[in-house]
Amino acid sequence: MKHIRKTRKIPDTFQNLEKWEVNRRSFLRSALVAGAATQITWFTSCSAKLEEANDFLTAEQSTILKSILMIIFPDDGNGPSADDLNTFGYILWVLSDNYQKPEDRDYIIEGLDWANETAQEIYFEKYVELDSEKKEALVEKFTELNWGKNWMSIMITLVLESALLDPIYGGNKDEQGWKWLEHVSGLPR
């Protein structure tokens, strides 16, 4: 019995080299655009998260929070301030975190309202209308009140987190907290 061999035509990769080069360029261009598009999605989701976090706070609450943070971690020359660390931005990130318990998020926000109510009870003015001395005295007074002890503890924890965590979480801007403490982060982060 005689076997008949069928010959297959083997494609010649280099038969049309110019066409192959054009296809390779098109492929690489498409891959580059696709890769960039995946990163754009990630960046826009992060910025959208911060914008959503602003929906949690009113302008007055934001002003109160920024003021209290600067009293806790002031710009006094002994290291980075809450502003330098972007602690406010970090707290916005915490508020927008989907894994954050709603009651924990609400407690942070309610504390800002309690701060304003306490200012009105003691000084008969809104917190934002107080001078800096009264604001500092009021923040010190918070630690004597039942709600204030726990709430200030959370605020101090958030300030310290903003100084120590990786900058990808919104705080520790330009790694200032790490530089201040002479911390060298491990890689990979």
Side-chain angles (χ1 to χ4, degrees):
M1 195 180 217
K2 193 174 182 183
H3 287 107
I4 302 174
R5 255 183 141 164
K6 291 185 178 179
T7 57
R8 292 185 326 181
K9 184 176 179 183
I10 299 173
D12 183 4
T13 307
F14 301 104
Q15 182 178 359
N16 192 345
L17 191 56
E18 187 177 305
K19 184 177 180 183
W20 183 80
E21 285 288 327
V22 171
N23 286 340
R24 185 176 70 154
R25 279 190 210 117
S26 297
F27 170 76
L28 290 174
R29 190 178 309 123
S30 298
L32 180 64
V33 169
T38 61
Q39 298 308 308
I40 289 170
T41 305
W42 183 80
F43 285 118
T44 57
S45 69
C46 289
S47 63
K49 266 191 146 181
L50 288 179
E51 288 173 12
E52 288 171 17
N54 273 333
D55 289 342
F56 288 107
L57 301 177
T58 65
E60 185 174 53
Q61 289 169 332
S62 295
T63 304
I64 293 169
L65 178 58
K66 286 179 181 181
S67 171
I68 290 172
L69 294 174
M70 286 303 290
I71 292 170
I72 295 172
F73 229 66
D75 185 9
D76 60 2
N78 291 324
S81 69
D83 276 347
D84 294 335
L85 295 169
N86 192 31
T87 304
F88 179 76
Y90 171 68
I91 292 175
L92 291 180
W93 183 86
V94 168
L95 292 174
S96 68
D97 184 6
N98 292 331
Y99 295 107
Q100 179 81 359
K101 292 179 186 174
E103 56 269 17
D104 292 344
R105 179 183 303 126
D106 294 343
Y107 187 71
I108 292 170
I109 297 168
E110 286 172 354
L112 299 169
D113 295 333
W114 296 330
N116 203 21
E117 290 170 10
T118 304
Q120 291 177 26
E121 290 170 8
I122 295 174
Y123 296 111
F124 306 104
E125 293 180 281
K126 290 184 172 188
Y127 182 93
V128 295
E129 296 169 355
L130 298 176
D131 62 38
S132 60
E133 286 180 19
K134 288 180 180 177
K135 286 178 183 176
E136 287 181 28
L138 189 62
V139 169
E140 188 176 327
K141 179 76 173 162
F142 294 163
T143 61
E144 299 170 11
L145 304 171
N146 286 336
W147 70 268
K149 289 177 190 175
N150 294 332
W151 189 79
M152 287 300 294
S153 174
I154 291 170
M155 290 296 101
I156 291 169
T157 299
L158 290 170
V159 168
L160 294 176
E161 285 177 0
S162 76
L164 302 174
L165 290 176
D166 194 302
I168 63 171
Y169 299 107
N172 196 10
K173 187 170 108 187
D174 299 326
E175 300 178 358
Q176 289 190 39
W178 291 350
K179 290 173 186 170
W180 175 49
L181 296 171
E182 298 177 6
H183 170 72
V184 178
S185 66
L187 295 173
R189 288 178 163 169

